[in-house]
Amino acid sequence: MPLPCPSRRRNGILERLGAWLAQLGVAEPWVPTLRVGIATASLILIAAVAYFVAYQLLVRLVSRVVASTSATWDDKFVKRKVFVRLAQLAPALVVHALAPVAFANHPMVISAVETAATVYLILVGLFVLNGVINAGVDVYETFAISRRVYIKGFVQILKVVLFFVGFVFVLAQILGRSPLIFFSGLGAFTAVLILVFRDAILGLVAGVQLMGNGLVRRGDWIEMPKFGADGDVLDVSLMNVTVQNWDKTIVTVPTYALVSQGFNNWRGMQESGGRRIKRSVVIDANTIRFCDEEMLERFKRIQYIREYIDHKIEETQEHNRAHDVDESVLVNGRHLTNIGTFRAYLEAYLRNHPMVHDEMTFLVRHLEPTPQGLPIQIYVFSREQRWAKYEAIQADIFDHVLAAVPMFDLRVYQAPSGYDVANLALGARDGTQTKQERAESLRESS
């Protein structure tokens, strides 16, 4: 026996409803209207019940199960309201399925309700997928690899594609056309899209470059003076990189600017295990001289260079004897100098400093002489990378260096101030200094 046609069953339900209303004494002209109203109310009631049941099962029950487990990854899906949005699909499915029954004699109403329900299903489905993606990112960020491979930019690309495709399907549903028609017509709008969304496209490409090559990661210390950025990266997105400066201000730098203009990333320093100390002390050239016996005896009492002095004295004496050098003139042969001995002392002092990294670049060198004197540069690496600790170590080193300079009969260059000039002028006016004393004072102050 053939099965009854669904449309006949639907018509039969509405006819019985109409007959029941007629039995209640409802006037014939009002029967169709009341029939539609009752069907609509019934549809809304059934959709509400479906939502209530789905909410109890997917939200209340699942949340309790998730809370009772020891795993933490499932909590991310509850936090992102994935199950809440899944429950919101239930009433739309009910409306879409029962609309032909409720409005059997009104095809236009059926079409409008089904279209609205379909659009609602697409939109809620997009939000469900968005919640799933966000929860997946939250789970990913619990792993150590998330510090090295930052996927937020790629996730944003995925979301852009997802919502664009969803928008096309919604538009196709509203207009009653196939989505393929819209996808096939996108080529004609490519030039317009590139012109209108130029900055967004450049940011997208730059974001892919930055994250694909690992140039910037969350937690990196970057420096970009043009945008006032000097601090830790809080977030990397397709359009912007958010930086928290050391003064706790927040700066947003366009992603494209990082690629087109360049920036300084201190991650290499942080990963190396050391932080560079590069600073110079300028020695007054007038104080550089050969060491005499008295100076050498005095320098021997400095523990760090005692062995160095003995070794160098023996080495120079052997060289001078081998070449029959006339040592009455110091420029003949080889002799120690106070500047060379001071440099050796700095090397020994830094080698013995507990916070100086002796396995990384280690230099104490002369730079090119300047009108102010001879710069001696210390180029080493601190074991401590944290800013405040690093600055304290650097200050401690140069406190000692500046205090040690006079011990080697050297003097740090310092330009004469107005106070020095005034004292010289006052001494000359009072006649308390001879010409020779004033010349000596001027030489010492310079």
Side-chain angles (χ1 to χ4, degrees):
M1 182 178 67
L3 295 174
C5 179
S7 60
R8 291 181 180 177
R9 291 202 303 269
R10 292 195 294 265
N11 291 336
I13 294 173
L14 293 178
E15 288 175 358
R16 286 196 295 272
L17 179 60
W20 177 72
L21 290 173
Q23 291 177 359
L24 293 177
V26 177
E28 184 65 26
W30 290 96
V31 170
T33 303
L34 286 176
R35 185 171 58 189
V36 172
I38 293 173
T40 302
S42 301
L43 184 61
I44 294 174
L45 179 61
I46 295 173
V49 171
Y51 175 72
F52 177 78
V53 173
Y55 187 87
Q56 294 296 323
L57 291 176
L58 291 175
V59 180
R60 296 286 179 84
L61 182 60
V62 173
S63 296
R64 291 176 183 174
V65 173
V66 168
S68 64
T69 62
S70 58
T72 58
W73 63 267
D74 48 5
D75 297 331
K76 310 297 183 182
F77 290 86
V78 175
K79 178 182 177 181
R80 292 294 182 174
K81 299 182 178 180
V82 173
F83 302 109
V84 173
R85 290 166 182 166
L86 281 173
Q88 292 171 352
L89 292 173
L93 291 172
V94 170
V95 170
H96 189 277
L98 298 182
V101 177
F103 311 105
N105 297 327
H106 303 82
M108 294 183 64
V109 176
I110 293 175
S111 177
V113 172
E114 288 182 341
T115 299
T118 303
V119 170
Y120 177 84
L121 287 171
I122 294 173
L123 293 177
V124 175
L126 288 175
F127 285 109
V128 169
L129 292 176
N130 182 68
V132 171
I133 293 172
N134 290 335
V137 172
D138 291 342
V139 173
Y140 174 77
E141 289 180 348
T142 61
F143 297 98
I145 193 175
S146 64
R147 298 284 298 177
R148 293 183 288 106
V149 183
Y150 196 56
I151 64 171
K152 184 175 181 179
F154 300 106
V155 170
Q156 288 180 325
I157 295 175
L158 177 61
K159 288 183 179 180
V160 169
V161 174
L162 179 65
F163 278 92
F164 176 76
V165 172
F167 171 76
V168 170
F169 274 92
V170 168
L171 192 61
Q173 188 66 33
I174 293 174
L175 299 179
R177 301 294 182 89
S178 171
L180 296 177
I181 298 175
F182 294 93
F183 286 118
S184 62
L186 287 178
F189 298 99
T190 301
V192 177
L193 291 173
I194 292 176
L195 181 63
V196 174
F197 299 103
R198 174 182 175 274
D199 293 338
I201 293 173
L202 289 176
L204 175 66
V205 174
V208 172
Q209 285 182 303
L210 286 176
M211 288 171 286
N213 297 325
L215 300 178
V216 176
R217 301 171 187 166
R218 189 175 57 183
D220 285 356
W221 169 17
I222 69 170
E223 185 178 359
M224 201 171 185
K226 181 177 179 180
F227 290 88
D230 184 12
D232 290 333
V233 175
L234 297 181
D235 187 49
V236 182
S237 64
L238 290 179
M239 302 303 299
N240 297 298
V241 174
T242 305
V243 179
Q244 184 179 50
N245 291 330
W246 301 120
D247 59 0
K248 301 305 179 184
T249 58
I250 305 296
V251 177
T252 301
V253 181
T255 306
Y256 178 66
L258 295 176
V259 176
S260 62
Q261 301 179 23
F263 63 99
N264 192 13
N265 192 333
W266 295 86
R267 187 201 312 152
M269 177 272 294
Q270 294 172 326
E271 294 177 348
S272 68
R275 184 168 180 178
R276 186 183 69 180
I277 297 175
K278 181 183 178 184
R279 188 173 290 184
S280 300
V281 175
V282 180
I283 302 298
D284 189 344
N286 293 318
T287 61
I288 298 175
R289 58 177 57 91
F290 289 109
C291 294
D292 55 26
E293 292 296 330
E294 184 275 330
M295 294 171 65
L296 291 176
E297 290 300 321
R298 184 155 38 91
F299 293 162
K300 285 182 181 179
R301 295 199 295 270
I302 302 175
Q303 293 183 356
Y304 282 148
I305 56 173
R306 182 180 300 161
E307 293 183 2
Y308 169 83
I309 296 293
D310 291 336
H311 173 72
K312 280 296 183 180
I313 289 176
E314 182 180 351
E315 181 182 323
T316 54
Q317 288 178 346
E318 289 181 0
H319 176 272
N320 292 341
R321 283 195 300 268
H323 293 82
D324 194 20
V325 172
D326 180 7
E327 297 188 40
S328 62
V329 180
L330 291 178
V331 293
N332 294 333
R334 295 177 58 186
H335 298 277
L336 294 177
T337 63
N338 59 347
I339 188 71
T341 306
F342 176 63
R343 185 164 50 85
Y345 170 76
L346 290 182
E347 291 183 2
Y349 167 73
L350 293 171
R351 291 286 184 191
N352 287 275
H353 197 292
M355 297 308 297
V356 173
H357 210 306
D358 56 359
E359 296 180 358
M360 303 183 71
T361 304
F362 189 103
L363 291 175
V364 179
R365 59 177 180 170
H366 293 171
L367 299 182
E368 183 179 356
T370 68
Q372 288 74 37
L374 177 65
I376 294 184
Q377 185 187 73
I378 292 177
Y379 192 112
V380 295
F381 284 80
S382 164
R383 294 183 184 274
E384 181 62 64
Q385 297 175 331
R386 290 172 293 181
W387 189 15
K389 298 284 188 181
Y390 160 79
E391 291 292 348
I393 292 169
Q394 185 171 234
D396 177 70
I397 289 173
F398 278 88
D399 287 346
H400 183 88
V401 170
L402 293 172
V405 169
M407 301 293 295
F408 294 86
D409 296 346
L410 297 168
R411 184 171 58 246
V412 176
Y413 173 80
Q414 179 173 301
S417 66
Y419 178 79
D420 299 323
V421 175
N423 281 342
L424 288 173
L426 180 62
R429 186 167 56 249
D430 293 343
T432 58
Q433 291 181 311
T434 65
K435 291 183 178 180
Q436 183 176 358
E437 289 172 343
R438 290 197 296 272
E440 181 65 16
S441 297
L442 181 61
R443 184 181 70 80
E444 289 179 355
S445 64
S446 63

